[in-house]
Amino acid sequence: MFKSEYVKKVYDNLVAKNPNELEFQQAALEILESLEPLVLARPEIQKNKILERFVEPERFVQFRVAWVDDNGEVQVNRGYRVQYNSSIGPYKGGLRFHPTVNASIIKFLGLEQVLKNSLTSLPMGGGKGGSDFDPKGKSDREIMAFCQAFMTELYRHIGPDTDVPAGDIGVGGREIGYLYGQYRRIKNENVGVLTGKGLTYGGSLVRTEATGYGLCYFTLEALKVMKNESFKAKKVVISGSGNVAIYACEKATSLGAKVVAMSDSNGYIYDEDGINLAVVKEIKEVRRGRIKEYLNYVTKAKYVEGPQNIWAIKCDIALPCATQNELDLEAAKMLVKNGVIAVCEGANMPSTLEAAKYFISSGIIYGPAKAANAGGVATSGLEMSQNSARLSWSFAEVDAKLKDIMVNIFHNAYNMAKKLGNPYDLLAGANIAGFEKVCNAMLALGVY
Ligand code: NDP
Ligand code: 2IT
């Protein structure tokens, strides 16, 4: 699998040092494999042990989060923050609250984030955090109690020029509000220490929509350049029904596509007339319910148990926007067999490595997560700029900047892929384009 003994050694050592951390190992393998041509061409990488330093987080914090539930019982969760790489700017990346969160998940997300943030061209290093806390079924007061307890430890590790967290799975506007409220209470400071803030207290227009919109801007540019195509009259399948999925659906629809399916962790809905997004927003954003309830509003839609089955639906464009490893080789083969022309990733690492390689070898557009979903963190970067300047830009201004950034990311990855000899390998293109800047910064900063 590796052509370079050096890269193999770095990977083997990572596996030995992080046993049982399968997601972390998977993300590292995917990245290291594609960096080989660069490593072979630039001996200073090995000489300065850049890869060994690149895969080892600068700092990894794990902490206890104790809080009181509505029955007056004490609950204990585990909190994390990985500060992965700060060579090009302050650590930046989301917080995930989900029962599956562990060290492996946090490190895989952190490593991906380093390259993603580099691709945005904004000065942001990479970080990630979260907790195994499960927000499902919790009262609003319990969410607040948890967020306050979480920030009571996290605040000492972050800062507007040090580390700037944001949302991810299970962390949206409500949670960011409670987290920021507690930070302000402790520090007596109004600063851009979190992004995804509400518009009344320092947030940026477009941040809520940014990941989903950005995913569609990236996909549109790829369709145009690589296939002379667009979203017009295309049948689209989107997994998930959270923040990323909802705004991907909104933008794809406004660009002329028909989104026929969306899902949650229980199953998927199919609506051949096109998903009624107002209904999904009502269920998911307002009532925090299950996607199955769509049938209460649109009676002729169908509901199928099991989210994985969504990839059996015949479509032109697939946008996985739920979670890691939700799309395996079998699903990839089904999509290609059914004539898909583009699979672009809104979630982080939604395709298994085998599925990603299958897409690349099939001559379809495969938009890897760290390029295709970078619109969220890019707009977080724009929120940081507005906070520092004490300004707020208009929706149109932020949206135009987001569009520019996504178009640029596509071209950087595509040009690099062409240079490497396979224009469809946007994965290698994105990994190398993202890594080059981090590597050059690390070389310039000296050994640390
Ligand atoms: P949300 O919490 O808003 O939504 C998550 C969605 O994914 C829900 O529909 C959820 O269903 C579904 N989901 C979660 N776990 C699973 C699972 N094991 N199987 C099937 N479905 C699942 O999160 P986001 O929309 O913010 O995040 C979605 C993805 O996008 C994540 O991979 C995240 O890392 C990535 N991302 C997010 C960004 C952002 O700005 N928010 C930026 C870039 C990437 P259920 O309700 O049943 O749990
Ligand atoms: O995975 C991601 O890029 C995010 N969850 C967004 C991070 C951010 O800092 O906006």
Side-chain angles (χ1 to χ4, degrees):
M1 101 189 130
F2 288 110
K3 293 179 202 72
S4 147
E5 266 309 306
Y6 166 57
V7 181
K8 181 177 182 315
K9 213 174 80 195
V10 172
Y11 178 69
D12 288 346
N13 190 39
L14 179 141
V15 171
K17 274 193 168 172
N18 303 275
N20 309 317
E21 298 193 356
L22 299 184
E23 296 85 2
F24 181 42
Q25 294 173 10
Q26 178 185 341
L29 177 62
E30 174 234 280
I31 292 168
L32 289 172
E33 270 188 348
S34 58
L35 294 183
E36 280 196 304
L38 189 74
V39 172
L40 293 168
R42 292 183 59 179
E44 71 269 33
I45 294 178
Q46 177 168 3
K47 184 165 176 293
N48 290 282
K49 294 209 164 53
I50 292 290
L51 286 188
E52 290 89 331
R53 288 154 58 193
F54 169 71
V55 298
E56 184 70 17
E58 288 174 18
R59 195 172 292 110
F60 183 86
V61 190
Q62 184 191 305
F63 50 96
R64 181 178 68 210
V65 187
W67 55 284
V68 180
D69 72 15
D70 283 350
N71 297 321
E73 255 182 65
V74 176
Q75 298 288 341
V76 181
N77 287 98
R78 191 170 272 187
Y80 301 91
R81 185 73 184 166
V82 67
Q83 299 184 328
Y84 220 111
N85 192 304
S86 62
S87 56
I88 62 176
Y91 309 107
K92 180 84 197 86
L95 297 171
R96 176 177 292 192
F97 292 169
H98 194 273
T100 56
V101 165
N102 56 32
S104 174
I105 298 282
I106 296 298
K107 281 190 248 173
F108 116 65
L109 290 165
L111 184 59
E112 288 278 300
Q113 200 80 44
V114 173
L115 298 183
K116 183 193 306 193
N117 294 4
S118 168
L119 283 169
T120 66
S121 77
L122 301 173
M124 299 183 292
K128 201 85 191 191
S131 173
D132 58 3
F133 172 72
D134 186 359
K136 280 204 189 83
K138 300 290 189 296
S139 72
D140 201 61
R141 195 210 61 82
E142 288 177 321
I143 299 285
M144 182 169 74
F146 177 81
C147 287
Q148 291 178 342
F150 185 85
M151 185 53 85
T152 301
E153 170 60 30
L154 186 69
Y155 90 93
R156 71 190 79 244
H157 306 289
I158 63 177
D161 297 310
T162 308
D163 183 358
V164 183
D168 194 81
I169 291 179
V171 179
R174 173 180 61 166
E175 292 73 21
I176 293 293
Y178 293 147
L179 290 163
Y180 187 52
Q182 183 70 353
Y183 183 88
R184 291 162 28 107
R185 205 166 289 123
I186 297 171
K187 297 276 289 185
N188 195 27
E189 276 173 5
N190 261 291
V191 288
V193 70
L194 291 170
T195 60
K197 297 187 294 299
L199 297 175
T200 52
Y201 61 88
S204 172
L205 287 160
V206 195
R207 178 61 190 88
T208 303
E209 297 85 354
T211 311
Y213 279 21
L215 172 65
C216 291
Y217 296 148
F218 178 97
T219 307
L220 181 62
E221 188 66 11
L223 284 167
K224 189 176 91 186
V225 172
M226 296 171 75
K227 301 279 180 196
N228 194 26
E229 273 289 1
S230 76
F231 271 102
K232 286 217 174 63
K234 296 294 182 301
K235 211 166 137 178
V236 178
V237 165
I238 301 181
S239 65
S241 48
N243 172 265
V244 180
I246 285 175
Y247 292 96
C249 177
E250 184 164 290
K251 184 53 77 177
T253 306
S254 81
L255 291 169
K258 183 155 86 173
V259 178
V260 293
M262 291 179 86
S263 62
D264 62 20
S265 57
N266 294 114
Y268 75 82
I269 48 161
Y270 179 81
D271 186 341
E272 64 179 357
D273 294 337
I275 297 284
N276 182 334
L277 194 60
V279 167
V280 176
K281 283 184 178 176
E282 167 69 22
I283 296 168
K284 288 289 173 182
E285 292 186 337
V286 181
R287 300 197 307 94
R288 300 179 190 274
R290 307 306 301 158
I291 200 69
K292 191 181 185 170
E293 295 161 34
Y294 188 83
L295 269 57
N296 300 341
Y297 300 80
V298 184
T299 47
K300 69 188 207 17
K302 281 199 286 230
Y303 175 73
V304 178
E305 281 292 336
Q308 238 88 347
N309 302 322
I310 199 171
W311 309 120
I313 300 170
K314 189 173 159 51
C315 64
D316 304 303
I317 297 169
L319 305 174
C321 295
T323 195
Q324 64 277 352
N325 292 329
E326 55 166 316
L327 200 167
D328 61 11
L329 181 60
E330 195 190 338
K333 285 183 174 166
M334 246 173 343
L335 283 165
V336 172
K337 190 169 122 253
N338 285 334
V340 79
I341 58 169
V343 178
C344 293
E345 301 180 330
N348 283 307
M349 204 168 76
S351 305
T352 63
L353 192 47
E354 295 75 30
K357 286 183 176 170
Y358 187 77
F359 288 139
I360 292 165
S361 67
S362 301
I364 63 153
I365 296 168
Y366 168 64
K370 63 177 73 69
N373 75 29
V377 74
T379 308
S380 280
L382 302 176
E383 182 172 332
M384 289 165 71
S385 301
Q386 292 169 81
N387 290 163
S388 299
R390 302 270 186 256
L391 288 173
S392 10
W393 300 333
S394 70
F395 192 98
E397 200 173 346
V398 183
D399 193 37
K401 287 190 187 354
L402 169 63
K403 203 176 291 177
D404 264 8
I405 290 171
M406 297 315 295
V407 167
N408 262 328
I409 292 176
F410 167 74
H411 284 283
N412 285 342
Y414 185 55
N415 289 338
M416 186 59 76
K418 282 194 291 192
K419 210 163 111 183
L420 293 164
N422 179 2
Y424 290 100
D425 198 349
L426 297 178
L427 181 61
N431 281 334
I432 294 195
F435 178 76
E436 269 194 320
K437 183 173 168 188
V438 176
C439 169
N440 291 342
M442 288 178 78
L443 286 167
L445 292 167
V447 176
Y448 73 100

mmCIF file of all heavy atoms in Angstrom, residues 92-94 113 116 128 166-168 207 348 376-377 380, ligand 2:
data_model
loop_
_atom_site.group_PDB
_atom_site.id
_atom_site.type_symbol
_atom_site.label_atom_id
_atom_site.label_comp_id
_atom_site.label_asym_id
_atom_site.label_seq_id
_atom_site.Cartn_x
_atom_site.Cartn_y
_atom_site.Cartn_z
ATOM 1 N N LYS A 92 -8.744 25.889 15.176
ATOM 2 C CA LYS A 92 -10.129 26.192 14.800
ATOM 3 C C LYS A 92 -10.818 24.902 14.424
ATOM 4 O O LYS A 92 -10.287 24.105 13.651
ATOM 5 C CB LYS A 92 -10.129 27.155 13.593
ATOM 6 C CG LYS A 92 -11.522 27.530 13.116
ATOM 7 C CD LYS A 92 -12.082 28.681 13.919
ATOM 8 C CE LYS A 92 -13.582 28.838 13.784
ATOM 9 N NZ LYS A 92 -14.367 27.992 14.732
ATOM 10 N N GLY A 93 -12.008 24.694 14.944
ATOM 11 C CA GLY A 93 -12.778 23.501 14.583
ATOM 12 C C GLY A 93 -13.911 23.289 15.561
ATOM 13 O O GLY A 93 -13.929 23.865 16.646
ATOM 14 N N GLY A 94 -14.848 22.451 15.178
ATOM 15 C CA GLY A 94 -16.105 22.330 15.899
ATOM 16 C C GLY A 94 -16.045 21.491 17.162
ATOM 17 O O GLY A 94 -15.025 20.894 17.512
ATOM 18 N N GLN A 113 -9.372 18.454 9.957
ATOM 19 C CA GLN A 113 -9.598 19.899 10.079
ATOM 20 C C GLN A 113 -8.345 20.707 9.734
ATOM 21 O O GLN A 113 -8.443 21.794 9.167
ATOM 22 C CB GLN A 113 -10.056 20.217 11.515
ATOM 23 C CG GLN A 113 -10.765 21.559 11.663
ATOM 24 C CD GLN A 113 -12.223 21.506 11.234
ATOM 25 O OE1 GLN A 113 -12.929 20.579 11.563
ATOM 26 N NE2 GLN A 113 -12.677 22.517 10.506
ATOM 27 N N LYS A 116 -8.304 20.866 5.992
ATOM 28 C CA LYS A 116 -9.480 21.608 5.523
ATOM 29 C C LYS A 116 -9.282 23.113 5.722
ATOM 30 O O LYS A 116 -9.515 23.913 4.819
ATOM 31 C CB LYS A 116 -10.709 21.138 6.313
ATOM 32 C CG LYS A 116 -12.020 21.779 5.886
ATOM 33 C CD LYS A 116 -13.146 21.537 6.896
ATOM 34 C CE LYS A 116 -13.357 20.086 7.231
ATOM 35 N NZ LYS A 116 -14.634 19.865 7.963
ATOM 36 N N LYS A 128 -10.367 20.302 17.276
ATOM 37 C CA LYS A 128 -11.702 19.696 17.337
ATOM 38 C C LYS A 128 -11.974 19.295 18.773
ATOM 39 O O LYS A 128 -11.032 19.077 19.542
ATOM 40 C CB LYS A 128 -11.756 18.438 16.457
ATOM 41 C CG LYS A 128 -13.162 18.047 16.068
ATOM 42 C CD LYS A 128 -13.633 18.804 14.843
ATOM 43 C CE LYS A 128 -15.105 18.644 14.588
ATOM 44 N NZ LYS A 128 -15.486 19.178 13.267
ATOM 45 N N ALA A 166 -16.478 25.812 17.484
ATOM 46 C CA ALA A 166 -17.757 26.111 16.829
ATOM 47 C C ALA A 166 -18.638 24.878 16.983
ATOM 48 O O ALA A 166 -18.387 24.048 17.857
ATOM 49 C CB ALA A 166 -17.511 26.431 15.351
ATOM 50 N N GLY A 167 -19.661 24.738 16.142
ATOM 51 C CA GLY A 167 -20.563 23.590 16.236
ATOM 52 C C GLY A 167 -20.134 22.423 15.363
ATOM 53 O O GLY A 167 -19.230 22.523 14.542
ATOM 54 N N ASP A 168 -20.759 21.305 15.593
ATOM 55 C CA ASP A 168 -20.652 20.107 14.760
ATOM 56 C C ASP A 168 -21.887 19.282 15.130
ATOM 57 O O ASP A 168 -22.889 19.858 15.599
ATOM 58 C CB ASP A 168 -19.338 19.344 15.057
ATOM 59 C CG ASP A 168 -19.001 18.288 14.000
ATOM 60 O OD1 ASP A 168 -18.448 18.644 12.941
ATOM 61 O OD2 ASP A 168 -19.298 17.103 14.208
ATOM 62 N N ARG A 207 -23.503 31.979 8.411
ATOM 63 C CA ARG A 207 -22.805 30.854 9.062
ATOM 64 C C ARG A 207 -23.718 29.636 9.200
ATOM 65 O O ARG A 207 -23.284 28.506 9.008
ATOM 66 C CB ARG A 207 -22.237 31.254 10.437
ATOM 67 C CG ARG A 207 -21.536 30.082 11.172
ATOM 68 C CD ARG A 207 -20.339 29.544 10.394
ATOM 69 N NE ARG A 207 -19.756 28.306 10.901
ATOM 70 C CZ ARG A 207 -20.146 27.074 10.561
ATOM 71 N NH1 ARG A 207 -21.155 26.898 9.709
ATOM 72 N NH2 ARG A 207 -19.529 26.019 11.042
ATOM 73 N N ASN A 348 -18.075 14.681 7.528
ATOM 74 C CA ASN A 348 -16.646 14.403 7.589
ATOM 75 C C ASN A 348 -16.406 12.905 7.446
ATOM 76 O O ASN A 348 -16.948 12.115 8.220
ATOM 77 C CB ASN A 348 -16.075 14.911 8.921
ATOM 78 C CG ASN A 348 -15.904 16.425 8.906
ATOM 79 O OD1 ASN A 348 -15.277 16.975 7.992
ATOM 80 N ND2 ASN A 348 -16.475 17.111 9.878
ATOM 81 N N GLY A 376 -18.272 25.737 5.910
ATOM 82 C CA GLY A 376 -18.674 26.052 7.289
ATOM 83 C C GLY A 376 -17.547 26.742 8.027
ATOM 84 O O GLY A 376 -17.704 27.851 8.563
ATOM 85 N N VAL A 377 -16.392 26.098 8.033
ATOM 86 C CA VAL A 377 -15.272 26.687 8.776
ATOM 87 C C VAL A 377 -14.768 27.954 8.083
ATOM 88 O O VAL A 377 -14.302 28.892 8.748
ATOM 89 C CB VAL A 377 -14.138 25.654 9.013
ATOM 90 C CG1 VAL A 377 -13.348 25.362 7.761
ATOM 91 C CG2 VAL A 377 -13.227 26.118 10.132
ATOM 92 N N SER A 380 -16.846 30.552 9.356
ATOM 93 C CA SER A 380 -16.404 30.803 10.730
ATOM 94 C C SER A 380 -15.208 31.754 10.722
ATOM 95 O O SER A 380 -15.105 32.656 11.565
ATOM 96 C CB SER A 380 -15.990 29.495 11.410
ATOM 97 O OG SER A 380 -17.106 28.779 11.854
HETATM 98 O O1 2IT B 2 -16.130 20.040 10.491
HETATM 99 C C1 2IT B 2 -16.166 21.284 10.439
HETATM 100 O O2 2IT B 2 -15.508 21.912 9.601
HETATM 101 C C2 2IT B 2 -17.032 21.996 11.378
HETATM 102 N N1 2IT B 2 -17.724 21.354 12.167
HETATM 103 C C3 2IT B 2 -17.054 23.499 11.397
HETATM 104 C C4 2IT B 2 -15.925 24.023 12.236
HETATM 105 C C5 2IT B 2 -15.917 25.520 12.458
HETATM 106 O O3 2IT B 2 -15.007 25.939 13.180
HETATM 107 O O4 2IT B 2 -16.751 26.250 11.942
#
